[in-house]
Amino acid sequence: MYIYFKKIFDSLIACIAFIILLPVFITVILFLLITGKKGKIFFTQQRPGKNGKIFKVIKFKTMNDKKDENGNLLPDEKRLTKIGKFIRKTSLDEIPQLLNVIQGDMSLIGPRPLLPEYLKLYNDFQKRRHEVKPGITGWAQVNGRNAISWEDKFKYDVWYVDNVSFLLDLKILFLTVKKVFKSEGISSVNSATAEKFKGN
């Protein structure tokens, strides 16, 4: 029953949040225009959503596109810009994803959308994270975010799938606000963002 109400809840809250955060949204755009190169403000990338359906996630761009002599992108920590570090630390880079929620590709709460290349690496248990829409924040994010192992992330994701409820979503929203103010779990132990998933 809640799954149907959740769609309305997501759209309503996302619209209200976007209107409230519009001044912040515009401010970040101006800062990125002033400090960035080639006017690149947004970062878009294909991600798998519910049932593995591919969509384009949108975030504020926090890294440059510098490459090595072989044409490969440099590691995240070498591409993260100064303004990008601040935007990531304050989670402002996630604001554009409210548009993904309004479009219906994402939910406010759910497993984070990962890379399409991971789909073939999941075992049957891990694939269950795609039984619901991906979220801007989720149970794994309020329980460690990038600071926990992939194994733990997937356990939290699937636990959410099995226990999704209105009260749980409210709890995750509250804990997310708390995490944002504390700037917890933004980086993994060995990376400026999150280490790549390499399978089981």
Side-chain angles (χ1 to χ4, degrees), residues 41-56:
I41 301 169
F42 298 106
F43 168 78
T44 60
Q45 190 176 53
Q46 289 191 328
R47 299 288 175 93
K50 186 177 180 181
N51 299 320
K53 182 181 178 182
I54 302 298
F55 71 99
K56 277 191 176 181

Side-chain angles (χ1 to χ4, degrees), residues 25-62:
F25 186 82
I26 295 172
T27 301
V28 174
I29 287 176
L30 291 175
F31 268 103
L32 290 175
L33 281 173
I34 294 170
T35 61
K37 294 180 180 180
K38 299 180 181 179
K40 293 183 178 180
I41 301 169
F42 298 106
F43 168 78
T44 60
Q45 190 176 53
Q46 289 191 328
R47 299 288 175 93
K50 186 177 180 181
N51 299 320
K53 182 181 178 182
I54 302 298
F55 71 99
K56 277 191 176 181
V57 71
I58 179 170
K59 302 174 72 173
F60 280 125
K61 191 173 178 65
T62 58

